[in-house]
Each structure stands twice: as C-alpha cells, then as structure tokens.
Amino acid sequence: KNQVEQSPQSLIILEGKNCTLQCNYTVSPFSNLRWYKQDTGRGPVSLTIMTFSENTKSNGRYTATLDADTKQSSLHITASQLSDSASYICVAFGNEKLTFGTGTRLTIIP
Amino acid sequence: KAGVTQTPRYLIKTRGQQVTLSCSPISGHRSVSWYQQTPGQGLQFLFEYFSETQRNKGNFPGRFSGRQFSNSRSEMNVSTLELGDSALYLCASSGRDISYEQYFGPGTRLTVT
C-alpha cells in the first residue's frame, strides 16, 4: 500500500533558526516527490518537485533532499521567518497516483 | 498568467442538499484534479479530468461527481450532503497530467449544517 509519513507532526521554532522536516514514503514504482507549503485557509503552493534521479533542489531558503534508495526526503528551512508558519505537505507520485502525507504544522515565534 | 480560481470561496449548506463547486484552471492547462481536505484526513484525491474525460478517481462515494468542459473549466457536484462533507475542497491544474507539477486554487470552504 502506498504511504507517505511525515515527521514531526508539529514543530515550534524561534524566528531566525533553521529546521528540517522529514518525509518517508513507500510508493512503488516511484516517479517524483513534491513539497508544498499551505498557509491556513489557502491552497497549497509548490516549493519543489524532484524526480528519483535528483538528490537536492533549492527554492530560496527552502532546500529539499531526496534519497530514492532509502525512500526518504527532507525539507530544510534556513533562517526561518514568521511567514514560514504554515503546514508543509510531502507528496509522492508513483504508479499514476499521488500519495499525500498529512503534513507538518510549523510555527515560527518571534 | 492568472492562477487557478475557485468559486464560491465559502458555502453553507444544509444536510440533504446538493452543491456545485467550480474551478477555472490556469490558461492552457488541460488537467484538473479535485481534492477534499479535512483536519483529520489531510488531502484526499477525488478525481482528475483531462480533456473532458475522467482519468482517475479516488475512493469516494458516487455522491461525488464532476465534469470538465471544453474550455477546461471543471465543476464538482456533491449530492445529498452529509455533515462529514464539511471540508475545504481544492482544485489543482496541471499542464499535462498529475505526474507533472500541480497548481492549486484557494479552495472552497463548504460547511454542512
């Protein structure tokens, strides 16, 4: 059964600090992995999309890594800002289906 | 380029009624997918339409249906509403199909009382 598990479920950090969110997936065959940022009450916004042959991809202060062998991905946020407070959703695509994680709720405090 | 738009943004319906939600994809995008998002379940896939044909379907009852028009605009219909249908309904468009990057709309918040 295809699954995507994210950890932690929630995270609180101080403004300016770095953090890393984790995503483990069991999707076969695997094609690509996506990270989305979703502000409360809004639609998700794409941060990165990586195929199985890509190891890392950056989008400003967001850097995603992918290890297709261990089926793990991480999203690293550098120098966090208050506007980074949101839910971060990991999504794996494979076998013509999208499998969504339940997200990590990140709160940045001043 | 305008993003994905969804109407209405908010809706309150009574149990047993039906509702129709609308989605306009990014210009040139032919794939439109619909999702239900609830706090407990996260994002769940409803269905995908491409060139007016339903290409994929999630595990939702037949009360949930959709269609796509020749201009790629899509509608989703829920009949005989239940309290559990209260959710944020999101639409996403893609240039080709769901294997490619998707762009989400702001969603329609449906409350069933």
Side-chain angles (χ1 to χ4, degrees):
Chain A
K1 181 185 175 185
N2 292 341
Q3 277 188 309
V4 171
E5 294 182 352
Q6 292 187 244
S7 61
Q9 279 190 315
S10 61
L11 184 61
I12 301 173
I13 65 170
L14 287 173
E15 184 181 11
K17 297 295 186 182
N18 303 335
C19 67
T20 300
L21 313 181
Q22 300 290 345
C23 172
N24 294 339
Y25 62 92
T26 53
V27 169
S28 183
F30 171 74
S31 291
N32 61 60
L33 187 127
R34 312 157 191 207
W35 282 95
Y36 287 92
K37 176 188 177 189
Q38 185 176 23
D39 293 317
T40 302
R42 297 194 170 193
V45 173
S46 178
L47 294 175
T48 65
I49 178 170
M50 291 185 292
T51 65
F52 60 86
S53 61
E54 295 176 288
N55 298 121
T56 184
K57 204 161 200 176
S58 291
N59 179 356
R61 295 180 296 102
Y62 301 99
T63 299
T65 64
L66 176 65
D67 186 333
D69 291 330
T70 61
K71 300 187 188 318
Q72 295 180 325
S73 176
S74 65
L75 181 69
H76 185 76
I77 303 174
T78 304
S80 61
Q81 300 176 358
L82 297 178
S83 59
D84 292 331
S85 292
S87 288
Y88 292 83
I89 304 170
C90 173
V91 185
F93 179 78
N95 201 21
E96 300 186 8
K97 292 188 187 302
L98 288 166
T99 304
F100 291 82
T102 54
T104 291
R105 178 70 206 174
L106 176 64
T107 303
I108 311 297
I109 57 176
Chain B
K1 207 180 223 185
V4 178
T5 58
Q6 292 186 246
T7 55
R9 291 295 312 279
Y10 303 92
L11 206 49
I12 299 175
K13 289 286 188 178
T14 303
R15 194 169 47 183
Q17 288 185 315
Q18 75 161 14
V19 66
T20 300
L21 312 181
S22 181
C23 170
S24 292
I26 291 172
S27 178
H29 283 191
R30 295 161 66 188
S31 168
V32 174
S33 300
W34 287 89
Y35 301 87
Q36 181 194 67
Q37 187 176 36
T38 58
Q41 301 283 347
L43 271 158
Q44 292 188 284
F45 173 71
L46 280 156
F47 28 66
E48 181 207 3
Y49 284 89
F50 184 89
S51 293
E52 302 178 66
T53 300
Q54 187 181 89
R55 208 156 52 167
N56 285 295
K57 190 176 189 305
N59 297 322
F60 278 81
R63 299 186 297 107
F64 292 81
S65 62
R67 59 177 176 169
Q68 186 179 33
F69 301 95
S70 58
N71 62 357
S72 293
R73 189 177 69 85
S74 178
E75 287 182 347
M76 190 193 89
N77 185 276
V78 188
S79 62
T80 320
L81 284 166
E82 300 176 359
L83 296 178
D85 297 333
S86 294
L88 180 67
Y89 289 89
L90 292 159
C91 153
S93 76
S94 175
R96 185 169 168 177
D97 55 45
I98 60 173
S99 68
Y100 286 70
E101 188 162 11
Q102 292 187 300
Y103 298 85
F104 284 84
T108 294
R109 171 71 63 185
L110 172 65
T111 301
V112 182
T113 61

